[in-house]
């Protein structure tokens, strides 16, 4: 929205300059984008007069002019076809910046003749001028007069209008707020009704009151159309509008002056004597609009039609049609002033791709009480500028009801904003903004018809605070609050912090992803229940609470791979949401690796699954999980794990602590991720707290002073038996002496029966009190063999 300072002063009696107006607007909540000052841009340019013009000796299309300027006589080379002796025009000296060309003038020869300046066209000064030559000005102008004064240039304020303030789309509305803020006195002229000399020959029928509740119009006969007077053209040109003719310019003026869009039809081009306002009929309503494009409005779009409703002649609230547009030959007109539904108008603009000045205003909500007054104002301006004789006003339908009154306690201003204002000052502000206030206990306040955004007491407090000035808000400090004791973390928080540091030390990068995922993806990970689907998701692919952190990590790894970083290690600590849990939410620690190491002649190296398992066990040790008591169960009943390369660690069959392994290729393909990918997911809620360590300092390290010894064994066991069960049983043969059990070979082949495997283990024995005698070692080996036998292992011969 743009307006000039003089336009504002037509509604606001003030001595404020443009910078003061911009500052006051900003403080009143109007977001000023820019202040354009063409006076500064035109400062180097002045009026000059051509004394003589001779043909250039070296160019047929150039002339060498002797020009009387503010700097004296200057010889200037000019290529304009209208350059001639006696012409008054605009002169630009050497060093001037010409905005229309984007160049700074320098002294240089033109075909051998030095040009000491430039004679300017309207385009070169960025003025609305369609001529091909230099400007032709009145001979009455004094040589040396500033160009800014000649063209009536003045500052233009450009500001952003918030959707809730359609009244700011008119200069009168801006003046009202500035007057309430104390910048001047509001002087908006009253609109006087114009008596009709005859009954309107055009009637109006409303068939779609949901799209257009009220429609008013009148006929004006005997108008004289043509170019608008200079003051009207300058006012429109200053804000970037192109003057067309008096009738069209009057509607544009009222649209920007009072935020009241209007439309004028050429009465001679109307078919019949009835205007019908109805819904669109698609292809049957092909309309060539004033922008030169053809549209087919649908059933949700408002159409203005004639010929008994058969011919569409305009898009209601959006744009008129070419068939009934006004020209310089127009003599009789029908003037329209209606109110169109904001939502329907906004939808029409989106569906048809039109964003006109009228659509912009109606979509935000035009003043419902301005229908007939806007028509009366247009009538008066048409009579003043075009002459003619008006008919009576025809009104079909009824405007929406005015805003209802509500109770307001003026003490609420202090309670909500902290501003200590008197009741008289609060009344003064509300009255200046157009509110009707009935004092009592409490007050009864009725918003004006142009302020439908005000719906309750809190809105009034905002209006009072805005006009009084946010600088007046009290800056009293908040009461001191005793700080919470620092450094105390719950066991859960301590574990999360420990896990985060441990994983970072292992080379994993932390990912922070949404707690949502797509419902179809959630279904692949055991979720997707309707109870976990969001009613108002932030995106179409984030419409369900995630049942696992793994899908988000998989997608994060895939995004990294798509950008050339395929070999990643990621982790995330956060919530998951399950519909079969009492609380519905659990905290997990999830990790993922995508092993894509460079190819090497030495081979692939260690299986990354064992590396992942090592990281997992190290992490569990760090967070205090009972690693020695965990049972390893091969495989998983969950579809996203690879059936032959996955496992789980548990404390009994009902308390699964963690699942880990390779992710199923089918799941990776569904998430558009390239394998292989390995992952783990620890359910932090299922990890029991350590016993007997709360608040006690760690004791001294119990380091043995005797050398350890090792013994190797090879056991035969069934292929289906887990090696972990064997090592766990051997380690339990003597917990005091056996320090560690390590698997160093698994053999299948010649010498091993079908369906069995040979597992070679190393048992580390750590004496404590004294060096072990041979008999003691033999007794220990016997216990190892017995424990292995119970686990299904038979010592190989």
């Amino acid at each position: 929205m743009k307006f000039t300072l003089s336009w504002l002063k037509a509604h606001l009696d003030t001595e404020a300059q443009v910078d003061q107006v911009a500052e006051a607007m900003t403080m009143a909540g109007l977001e000023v984008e820019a202040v354009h000052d063409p006076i500064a841009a035109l400062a180097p340019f002045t009026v000059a007069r051509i004394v003589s013009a001779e043909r250039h000796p070296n160019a047929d299309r150039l002339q060498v002019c002797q020009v009387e300027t503010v700097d004296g006589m200057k010889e200037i080379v000019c290529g304009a076809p209208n350059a001639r002796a006696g012409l008054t025009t605009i002169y630009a000296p050497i060093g001037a910046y010409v905005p229309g060309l984007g160049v700074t003038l320098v002294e240089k020869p033109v075909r051998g003749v030095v040009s000491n300046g430039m004679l300017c066209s309207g385009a070169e000064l960025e003025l609305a001028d369609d001529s091909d030559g230099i400007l032709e000005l009145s001979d009455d102008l004094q040589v040396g007069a500033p160009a800014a004064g000649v063209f009536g240039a003045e500052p233009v304020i450009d500001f952003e209008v918030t959707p809730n303030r359609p009244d700011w789309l008119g200069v009168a509305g801006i003046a009202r707020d500035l007057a309430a803020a104390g910048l001047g006195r509001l002087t908006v002229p009253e609109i006087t009704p114009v008596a009709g000399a005859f009954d309107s020959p055009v009637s109006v029928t409303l068939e779609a009151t949901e799209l257009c509740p009220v429609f008013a119009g009148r006929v004006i006969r005997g108008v004289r159309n043509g170019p608008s007077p200079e003051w009207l053209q300058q006012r429109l040109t200053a804000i970037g509008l192109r003057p067309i003719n008096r009738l069209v310019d009057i509607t544009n003026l009222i649209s920007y002056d009072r935020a009241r869009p209007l439309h004028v039809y050429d009465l001679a081009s109307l078919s019949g004597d009835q205007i019908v306002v109805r819904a669109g009929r698609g292809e049957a309503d092909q309309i060539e609009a004033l922008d030169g494009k053809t549209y087919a409005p649908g059933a949700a779009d408002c159409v203005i039609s004639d010929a008994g409703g058969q011919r569409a002649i305009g898009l209601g609230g959006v744009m008129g049609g070419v068939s009934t547009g006004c020209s310089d030959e127009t003599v009789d007109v029908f003037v329209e002033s209606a109110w169109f539904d904001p939502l329907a108008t906004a939808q029409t603009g989106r569906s048809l791709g039109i964003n006109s000045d009228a659509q912009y205003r109606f979509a935000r909500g035009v003043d419902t009480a301005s229908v007939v007054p806007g028509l009366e104002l247009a009538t008066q301006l048409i009579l003043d500028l075009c002459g003619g004789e008006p008919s009576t006003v025809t009104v079909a339908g009824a405007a929406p009801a005015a805003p209802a009154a509500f109770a307001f306690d003026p003490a609420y201003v202090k309670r909500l904003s902290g501003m200590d204002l008197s009741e008289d000052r609060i009344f003064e502000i509300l009255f200046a903004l157009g509110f009707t206030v009935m004092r009592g206990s409490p007050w009864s306040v009725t918003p004006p018809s142009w302020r439908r955004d005000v719906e309750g007491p809190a809105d009034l407090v905002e209006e009072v605070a805005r006009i009084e000035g946010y600088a007046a808000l009290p800056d009293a400090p908040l009461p001191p609050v005793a700080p919470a004791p620092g450094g105390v973390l719950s066991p859960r928080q301590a574990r999360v912090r420990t896990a985060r540091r441990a994983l970072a030390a292992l080379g994993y990068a932390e990912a922070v992803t949404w707690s949502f995922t797509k419902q179809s993806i959630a279904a692949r990970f055991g979720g997707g229940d309707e109870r976990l689907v969001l009613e108002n998701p932030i995106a179409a692919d984030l419409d369900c609470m995630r049942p696992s952190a793994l899908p988000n990590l998989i997608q994060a790894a895939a995004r990294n791979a798509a950008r050339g970083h395929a070999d990643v290690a990621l982790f995330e600590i956060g919530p998951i949401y399950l519909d079969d849990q009492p609380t519905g939410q659990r905290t997990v620690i999830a990790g993922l690796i995508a092993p894509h190491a460079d190819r090497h002649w030495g081979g692939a190296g260690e299986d990354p699954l064992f590396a992942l398992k090592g990281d997992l066990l190290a992490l569990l040790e760090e967070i205090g999980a009972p690693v020695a008591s965990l049972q390893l169960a091969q495989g998983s009943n969950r579809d996203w794990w690879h059936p032959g390369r996955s496992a789980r660690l548990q404390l009994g069959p009902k308390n699964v602590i963690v699942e880990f392994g390779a992710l199923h290729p089918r799941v990776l393909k569904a998430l558009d991720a390239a394998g292989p990918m390995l992952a783990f997911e620890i359910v932090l809620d299922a990890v029991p707290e350590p016993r007997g360590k709360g608040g006690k300092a760690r004791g001294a390290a119990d380091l043995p002073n005797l050398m350890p010894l090792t013994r190797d064994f090879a056991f035969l066991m069934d292929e289906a038996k887990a090696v972990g069960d064997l090592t766990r049983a051997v380690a339990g043969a003597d917990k005091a002496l056996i320090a560690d059990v390590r698997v160093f070979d698994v053999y299948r082949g010649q010498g091993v029966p079908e369906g069995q495997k040979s597992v070679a283990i190393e048992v580390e024995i750590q004496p404590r009190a004294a060096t072990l005698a041979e008999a003691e070692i033999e007794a220990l080996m016997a216990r190892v063999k017995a424990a292995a036998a119970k686990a299904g292992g038979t010592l190989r011969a």
Side-chain angles (χ1 to χ4, degrees), residues 432-486:
L433 291 174
F435 293 87
T436 301
V437 181
M438 300 294 293
R439 292 197 180 192
S441 182
W443 292 4
S444 177
V445 179
T446 305
S449 56
W450 61 83
R451 290 301 307 275
R452 293 182 178 271
D453 60 306
V454 177
E455 300 176 344
D459 296 325
L460 294 181
V461 174
E462 181 182 359
E463 291 300 300
V464 172
R466 180 175 64 87
I467 297 302
E468 182 67 17
Y470 292 123
L473 289 171
D475 56 358
L478 293 173
V481 178

Side-chain angles (χ1 to χ4, degrees), residues 406-428:
F406 55 84
F408 176 66
D409 183 359
Y412 195 51
V413 172
K414 180 175 176 58
R415 187 160 64 249
L416 198 62
S417 70
M419 290 182 171
D420 193 5
L421 303 178
S422 66
E423 291 190 3
D424 289 342
R425 176 55 180 158
I426 296 172
F427 177 88
E428 178 186 348

Side-chain angles (χ1 to χ4, degrees), residues 129 341 386 456 475 479 481 549 555 601 647:
D129 183 72
D341 180 75
C386 306
D475 56 358
V481 178
Q555 291 175 313
W601 61 268

